[in-house]
Amino acid sequence: MFNTPVKGTHPNKTKMNWFEYWIGHCWMTGWQSIRMNFRMWADLMGSNYAAYALPRTVEDPEEECKEWFWASLNEDDVYDKEFLEYLMQMVEDIELGKVETYSMDEVMDKLKDTLDAEDD
């Protein structure tokens, strides 16, 4: 649910035509949002709160379900065409080696070294 792909984007492409953007991204993302909102509404109507009972953080799963439902009505996962093309270009640049990348281990080691240096 939280790592759904961006609709309408393709791995080996950096430009989208308007059909791909409006049908592939806007329309499909809109239907995906409606489906998720309806699922939460069905959970509310059917008193199905088990998925909202997070350990140690939620005291009232029904209230958590209501909050998720109302918050989800305000969500909009539709992005601008230019922004999506920028992201696709960035992915291509990374895959072709045009941009220097760092592994998470290198970043964490650098952060740890920086924090250790500040403590001394």
Side-chain angles (χ1 to χ4, degrees):
M1 178 172 150
F2 296 105
N3 61 352
T4 56
V6 176
K7 301 288 185 191
T9 59
H10 304 285
N12 297 321
K13 242 176 126 173
T14 59
K15 294 289 181 189
M16 302 169 72
N17 63 37
W18 282 103
F19 181 79
E20 290 171 330
Y21 176 68
W22 284 107
I23 301 299
H25 178 66
C26 297
W27 196 64
M28 296 304 291
T29 301
W31 280 110
Q32 183 180 29
S33 296
I34 290 169
R35 181 185 62 95
M36 290 188 317
N37 292 337
F38 183 75
R39 192 185 76 224
M40 286 182 225
W41 177 81
D43 289 343
L44 277 172
M45 296 298 109
S47 299
N48 182 19
Y49 308 127
Y52 304 93
L54 302 172
R56 297 179 294 181
T57 57
V58 176
E59 295 175 9
D60 184 11
E62 179 182 6
E63 189 63 31
E64 184 74 9
C65 183
K66 287 178 188 175
E67 289 177 12
W68 272 100
F69 173 72
W70 288 112
S72 70
L73 290 178
N74 193 31
E75 288 181 0
D76 183 12
D77 294 334
V78 176
Y79 300 112
D80 293 335
K81 181 178 179 288
E82 293 77 19
F83 177 69
L84 291 174
E85 290 174 344
Y86 166 75
L87 291 178
M88 291 189 302
Q89 181 65 51
M90 188 184 304
V91 168
E92 182 176 299
D93 290 347
I94 291 170
E95 288 176 349
L96 294 176
K98 293 180 182 177
V99 178
E100 186 175 0
T101 59
Y102 304 95
S103 71
M104 189 58 149
D105 291 335
E106 291 174 322
V107 171
M108 294 307 289
D109 289 341
K110 178 76 172 170
L111 179 63
K112 183 179 177 188
D113 293 343
T114 302
L115 292 174
D116 288 343
E118 287 180 3
D119 287 342
D120 293 338

